[in-house]
Amino acid sequence: MTKAPAHAIPFAISTIKLPRDGMPIRFDADEAERQALARQLSIPEVTTLSVDLRATPWRAEGVRVSGRIAAEVVQESVVSLEPVVQRIDEPFEQTFVPEDSRLARIAAPAEQELHIDPEGDDPPETFSGDRIDIGAYIAEAVALALDPYPRKAGESFGALDTDPAPDAGRRSAFDVLAELAAKPGRDDE
């Protein structure tokens, strides 16, 4: 995403101290963070946002963060512009490697053709220092989970009649021809 993250969710990381069974990351967004995320996503409201993740060691230098993201958001119906509530419960998984590591160079080789496997894992993201900020990744996951065409149950474009008299003012081409033929003073050649 190109916008700055709505909120930061940093956690300190040290691959030496990270337990094999992982480090839990739990986060519940407060009102200000939810409002900032709603503005970032251009939606009326983020009612709730909670994150339940676990950071585990990945290979020699990396960190894998996985778990679930739960949220409740309000969007506008594409049919009636009425508020539509959507519940999001999505799995989350992202791998991180230090930017100066061997794994980072393998993940993003310089001056080589990039091959993307749509069914494969995402390449690792890089981080520097001893902190990883996953806020932007959480915001991206919520954005990808949003319904692109939200609408209330039973709403459809065909159900709304925006023109009370759809045939008013419409004339058949044959009616126009019949009028022309019936005009007095028309010379037939």
Side-chain angles (χ1 to χ4, degrees):
M1 300 184 76
T2 58
K3 296 180 181 180
H7 54 277
I9 308 174
F11 67 94
I13 195 70
S14 171
T15 54
I16 297 169
K17 296 180 182 177
L18 191 62
R20 281 274 166 224
D21 64 340
M23 177 178 72
I25 303 169
R26 290 189 177 85
F27 175 78
D28 289 310
D30 64 22
E31 181 66 27
E33 291 163 331
R34 292 191 313 268
Q35 287 177 2
L37 182 58
R39 281 191 304 274
Q40 180 182 348
L41 299 175
S42 300
I43 61 174
E45 185 178 4
V46 176
T47 312
T48 63
L49 172 64
S50 62
V51 175
D52 188 9
L53 306 173
R54 181 167 291 279
T56 55
W58 184 76
R59 297 196 178 173
E61 305 166 301
V63 176
R64 176 160 286 161
V65 179
S66 59
R68 297 205 73 75
I69 298 170
E72 183 176 276
V73 299
V74 177
Q75 294 179 271
E76 290 179 344
S77 167
V78 295
V79 177
S80 64
L81 300 179
E82 294 292 321
V84 178
V85 175
Q86 178 187 354
R87 285 173 183 73
I88 296 171
D89 184 11
E90 290 288 317
F92 178 86
E93 184 171 89
Q94 184 65 56
T95 304
F96 299 90
V97 295
E99 66 183 2
D100 58 350
S101 72
R102 179 185 60 80
L103 292 172
R105 290 187 295 279
I106 292 170
E111 300 179 24
Q112 291 183 6
E113 191 172 319
L114 180 64
H115 295 281
I116 298 175
D117 179 6
E119 300 299 320
D121 291 336
D122 289 338
E125 295 290 332
T126 60
F127 68 94
S128 62
D130 67 344
R131 297 182 79 69
I132 299 174
D133 184 358
I134 60 171
Y137 301 99
I138 300 299
E140 180 179 25
V142 172
L144 291 172
L146 291 177
D147 184 349
Y149 304 104
R151 59 181 164 205
K152 289 186 173 186
E155 277 187 330
S156 70
F157 287 108
L160 294 179
D161 184 10
T162 58
D163 190 357
D167 294 329
R170 223 186 262 176
R171 294 177 27 187
S172 160
F174 296 108
D175 291 339
V176 173
L177 287 174
E179 275 183 29
L180 287 174
K183 280 191 176 177
R186 185 170 184 283
D187 296 332
D188 289 330
E189 296 177 12

